[in-house]
C-alpha cells in the first residue's frame, strides 16, 4: 500500500510539473503542459480512483505552492477533477450474466467528461454575468484591439464560438491523454479494464435531441440562449465526430487491407478539415438509423477486432 501511495504522489507531482512547464513558453514545454493529465490517468487506470484522487490532490497542492492559488484552481478545474471523474466512470462496472465485470462503455465515459466540462462552463458564464456582460462580449473586447480592422469587425461573431471551441479542444486533449495511458498500461499488462474500442462508441438517445436543440438555439438566437447553444452544439459535435469515426472503424472491420483503408481515411481528414462535419453527420445518422447494427448483421455478427 505504501508503494502505491508513493506512486500516486509521484504521479501528482509529475502532473503538476507538466502543467507548470507552460510558463517557460517553449514549444517543448507546451507539449508537456498538454500531457499534464497523463500521469494521473496512468495512476488511476492502473491502481483505481482513490489513488488517482490522491495524485490529483497532490498535483493541485504542488501547483498552489509553485504558482499560487489561482493557478491551482485552474489546474484542479481543467486537469485534476476531470481526470478523477473520468477514471471513476471508466472503472465503474456491473457484472454480466456470467459474473464477469461489464465495464462502462466508451460513450458513457465520453458523456461524463463532456457533462463535467459543460458544468464548469455554466459556472463561468454565471460568474461572468454578474459583471453585466456576457462571456462573448468580454472576449470580443479583449481580442478586438489586437486585430486588423477587417477582422475586428467580425470578432463579435467569432467570439461566440470561442468557448465551445476551447471546450471541445479540452475534451479532445483529455481523451488523447486517456487513450495514451490506456495503451501504455494495456501493453504492460497493468490496466484494470480492457481498452474500449472506438467502433463500440455509441451515445445515449437523448444526446441527439440535445444536439438538435443546441443547433436551433445557436442559429435562431443572438442572446445568451444562442451563446449557450453554440457551445453545447460544438462540444456535442465532437462527440458525434468520434461516434462517426466509430462507424468507419466498424464498417472496415474484417475488410482486406483495413489498415491501409484507415490510413487513407485519416489522411483525407487531415487534408480536408471540413470532412469532419461529414463524419459527425455520420455519427448522428448512425444513432437514428442504427448503421453499426446493420453492418454487424450484414457481416454475420462478426466479433470485435482484437487489433482495433
Amino acid at each position: 500500500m505504501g508503494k502505491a501511495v508513493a506512486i500516486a504522489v509521484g504521479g501528482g507531482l509529475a502532473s503538476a510539473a507538466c502543467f507548470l512547464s507552460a510558463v517557460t513558453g517553449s514549444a517543448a514545454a507546451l507539449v508537456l503542459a498538454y500531457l499534464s493529465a497523463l500521469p494521473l490517468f496512468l495512476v488511476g487506470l492502473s491502481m483505481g480512483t482513490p489513488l488517482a484522487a490522491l495524485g490529483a490532490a497532490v498535483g493541485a497542492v504542488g501547483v498552489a505552492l509553485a504558482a499560487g492559488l489561482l493557478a491551482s484552481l485552474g489546474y484542479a478545474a481543467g486537469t485534476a477533477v476531470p481526470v478523477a471523474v473520468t477514471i471513476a466512470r471508466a472503472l465503474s462496472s456491473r457484472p454480466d450474466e456470467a459474473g464477469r465485470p461489464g465495464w462502462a462503455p466508451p460513450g458513457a465515459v465520453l458523456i461524463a467528461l463532456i457533462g463535467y466540462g459543460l458544468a464548469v462552463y455554466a459556472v463561468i458564464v454565471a460568474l461572468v454575468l454578474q459583471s453585466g456582460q456576457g462571456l462573448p462580449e468580454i472576449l470580443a473586447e479583449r481580442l478586438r484591439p489586437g486585430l486588423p480592422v477587417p477582422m475586428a469587425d467580425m470578432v463579435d461573431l467569432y467570439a461566440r464560438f470561442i468557448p465551445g471551441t476551447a471546450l471541445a479542444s479540452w475534451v479532445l486533449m483529455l481523451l488523447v491523454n486517456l487513450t495514451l495511458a490506456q495503451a501504455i498500461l494495456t501493453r504492460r499488462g497493468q490496466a484494470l479494464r480492457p481498452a474500449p474500442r472506438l467502433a463500440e462508441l455509441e451515445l445515449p438517445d437523448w444526446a441527439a435531441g440535445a444536439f438538435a436543440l443546441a443547433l436551433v438555439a445557436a442559429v435562431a438566437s443572438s442572446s445568451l440562449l444562442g451563446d449557450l447553444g453554440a457551445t453545447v452544439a460544438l462540444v456535442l459535435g465532437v462527440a458525434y465526430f468520434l461516434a462517426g469515426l466509430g462507424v468507419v472503424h466498424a464498417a472496415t472491420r474484417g475488410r482486406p487491407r483495413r489498415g491501409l483503408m484507415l490510413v487513407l481515411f485519416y489522411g483525407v481528414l487531415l487534408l480536408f478539415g471540413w470532412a469532419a462535419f461529414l463524419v459527425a453527420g455520420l455519427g448522428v445518422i448512425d444513432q437514428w438509423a442504427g448503421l453499426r447494427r446493420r453492418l454487424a448483421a450484414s457481416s454475420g455478427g462478426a466479433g470485435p477486432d482484437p487489433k482495433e
Side-chain angles (χ1 to χ4, degrees), residues 38-298:
L38 181 59
L40 298 181
F41 276 128
L42 287 170
V43 170
L45 293 175
S46 62
M47 297 190 295
T49 305
L51 288 172
L54 172 62
V58 169
V61 172
V63 172
L65 293 175
L69 182 58
L70 188 60
S72 181
L73 288 174
Y75 170 81
T79 301
V81 176
V83 167
V85 168
T86 304
I87 289 173
R89 190 68 183 97
L91 295 183
S92 62
S93 64
R94 293 181 180 178
D96 58 18
E97 296 178 354
R100 296 169 298 188
W103 298 103
V109 177
L110 175 59
I111 288 297
L113 178 58
I114 288 176
Y116 169 83
L118 288 175
V120 172
Y121 166 71
V123 171
I124 293 173
V125 169
L127 293 175
V128 169
L129 286 175
Q130 302 300 316
S131 67
Q133 289 182 295
L135 185 57
E137 287 80 8
I138 292 178
L139 292 172
E141 287 180 0
R142 299 204 173 190
L143 291 173
R144 191 177 290 108
L147 296 174
V149 174
M151 293 183 65
D153 292 338
M154 297 291 292
V155 73
D156 289 331
L157 175 62
Y158 295 146
R160 122 179 289 200
F161 298 102
I162 291 175
T165 302
L167 189 53
S169 300
W170 171 81
V171 168
L172 287 173
M173 188 52 58
L174 279 180
L175 289 176
V176 168
N177 281 268
L178 174 63
T179 303
L180 283 174
Q182 181 70 45
I184 293 170
L185 294 172
T186 299
R187 176 165 293 190
R188 294 172 62 90
Q190 297 175 333
L192 293 178
R193 63 161 289 168
R197 295 180 174 87
L198 187 57
E200 298 172 355
L201 194 156
E202 296 185 12
L203 300 175
D205 293 338
W206 58 261
F211 186 45
L213 289 174
L215 285 174
V216 171
V219 173
S221 174
S222 59
S223 63
L224 175 62
L225 180 62
D227 298 339
L228 296 175
T231 299
V232 173
L234 281 168
V235 179
L236 286 180
V238 169
Y240 277 108
F241 169 72
L242 295 174
L245 293 181
V247 175
V248 173
H249 278 246
T252 57
R253 181 184 293 160
R255 304 279 184 180
R257 299 184 180 179
R258 179 178 189 255
L260 177 60
M261 293 171 65
L262 290 176
V263 167
L264 292 175
F265 169 75
Y266 282 105
V268 170
L269 274 182
L270 290 174
L271 289 174
F272 306 101
W274 55 263
F277 293 99
L278 300 179
V279 176
L282 184 62
V284 175
I285 293 172
D286 172 58
Q287 190 167 34
W288 288 340
L291 294 178
R292 269 177 278 198
R293 290 190 296 272
R294 295 172 185 267
L295 289 169
S298 64

